[in-house]
Amino acid sequence: MPEKQIVPVISRLEEFEKNLPGYLDTHNKLAILLDYDGTLAPIADNPNKTKMPVELEAILRRLAKHPQIFMAVISGRALRDVHALVNIDGVTFAGNHGLEIEYPDGSRHDFELPGEIQRNYTAMVDELKERVEKNGAWVEDKRVSLTFHYRDTPAHLKDELKQLAAEICQRHGFRPNQAHEAIEAKPPVDWNKGEAALHILKTKFGPNWADEVRVVFAGDDTTDEDAMRVLQGLGRSFRIAADAQIQTFADFRLPKQDLMTDLLKWISTVYVC
């Protein structure tokens, strides 16, 4: 069984090849699976203000065009939202932690929530908006999952508000998860970023995908650990975290988000794009 552990840190461009000699090879296809917030784009005070760094975006666009490279972005955001923010042709997008998946040809895979869970979701959103949407906090309704943002809430009110928000989510049967200055509420179903990653890889490369393609995954949050867990031993994953003692299913830790540019540079150097 995969286990979380403290993993080696990569802090500079040259350390990618040093730690992963020969993992990338132009004779092999490569699947790049990436989170958005805190991974492709730095965390912003408001989720509407996030933007990919110019250099990172330019490399990402070149990689997406390479015939040997498949790319997917798996985000907690609503599908339309993350699609609009990245807006690169040929990329597969998964929103709501993988509950919604859209392929470049427009085909989709949507995890259908049971009617009772949908009704509970509506009631949860209504109660959250009534009871905790105040003092700078607000509810991001993503149709099948939500995020309660409290970054702009006065510091002395944050603990009380986020605790109440988590209690409301639990009472309606949803799973609250701590994120960056936010509480994410996911439905009680056996589907997450890990299941979404496996579904995407099987759909693109077949049931024996692990023999057909090399995989690189990167994320910065606890929800990304689901993908890191299922890919352990089958791909290489990177957890973005400043905490040197963090326990993770990833293979390596990147201490800063801007090292994502170096990760993509490493890939583009090998694939000459």
Side-chain angles (χ1 to χ4, degrees):
M1 290 289 290
E3 293 184 359
K4 285 186 175 182
Q5 57 186 339
I6 297 174
V7 296
V9 62
I10 292 179
S11 302
R12 294 186 299 275
L13 172 60
E14 57 269 23
E15 292 179 358
F16 285 99
E17 186 61 31
K18 180 180 178 180
N19 282 276
L20 291 154
Y23 181 68
L24 298 184
D25 182 341
T26 53
H27 296 296
N28 293 305
K29 295 177 181 177
L30 175 66
I32 306 173
L33 311 181
L34 304 168
D35 174 45
Y36 178 76
D37 290 282
T39 303
L40 286 177
I43 297 292
D45 290 341
N46 186 302
N48 296 323
K49 297 179 180 178
T50 59
K51 186 175 178 60
M52 292 185 289
V54 173
E55 185 179 16
L56 181 150
E57 182 178 355
I59 300 171
L60 198 68
R61 290 185 179 278
R62 292 200 300 272
L63 290 172
K65 294 178 181 178
H66 196 286
Q68 287 286 87
I69 294 177
F70 167 81
M71 187 179 294
V73 177
I74 307 175
S75 172
R77 287 178 179 257
L79 179 61
R80 287 185 180 181
D81 190 8
V82 68
H83 196 302
L85 287 165
V86 178
N87 194 29
I88 296 177
D89 291 339
V91 174
T92 293
F93 290 96
N96 273 302
H97 308 285
L99 291 168
E100 308 171 287
I101 301 172
E102 185 173 272
Y103 299 96
D105 64 2
S107 62
R108 290 178 60 109
H109 175 272
D110 292 277
F111 190 98
E112 191 66 34
L113 296 180
E116 182 181 0
I117 293 178
Q118 293 180 21
R119 291 189 292 272
N120 289 344
Y121 177 80
T122 300
M124 176 179 64
V125 171
D126 290 343
E127 184 174 356
L128 285 169
K129 287 188 173 183
E130 180 181 347
R131 298 186 62 188
V132 297
E133 200 168 55
K134 56 186 177 181
N135 298 311
W138 57 285
V139 176
E140 182 184 358
D141 179 0
K142 297 178 287 188
R143 193 177 64 84
V144 292
S145 75
L146 64 80
T147 303
F148 172 65
H149 298 273
Y150 56 84
R151 183 179 297 274
D152 296 330
T153 300
H156 68 285
L157 298 175
K158 285 184 177 181
D159 286 345
E160 180 181 355
L161 267 185
K162 70 178 184 181
Q163 181 177 343
L164 178 56
E167 290 173 356
I168 292 171
C169 295
Q170 288 177 322
R171 190 163 62 252
H172 289 281
F174 277 64
R175 299 167 179 168
N177 180 75
Q178 185 65 52
H180 297 289
E181 296 286 322
I183 298 291
E184 294 181 324
K186 297 187 291 183
V189 295
D190 293 326
W191 195 263
N192 51 46
K193 286 188 176 183
E195 295 301 319
L198 292 179
H199 181 85
I200 289 168
L201 290 168
K202 289 175 183 176
T203 299
K204 177 64 178 178
F205 300 103
N208 298 320
W209 61 267
D211 299 323
E212 301 294 328
V213 62
R214 299 286 173 90
V215 180
V216 167
F217 177 87
D220 75 309
D221 211 339
T222 54
T223 59
D224 297 308
E225 290 287 341
D226 291 318
M228 295 167 184
R229 175 177 50 81
V230 300
L231 292 172
Q232 200 173 80
L234 300 173
R236 297 295 182 271
S237 58
F238 301 83
R239 173 72 190 265
I240 301 167
D243 182 3
Q245 299 303 310
I246 195 168
Q247 300 270 334
T248 177
F249 287 117
D251 298 286
F252 299 95
R253 179 175 66 88
L254 306 182
K256 299 184 295 181
Q257 183 276 331
D258 59 14
L259 284 162
M260 278 300 302
T261 300
D262 286 340
L263 170 60
L264 296 178
K265 279 182 181 178
W266 170 58
I267 296 172
S268 67
T269 299
V270 175
Y271 283 85
V272 194
C273 57

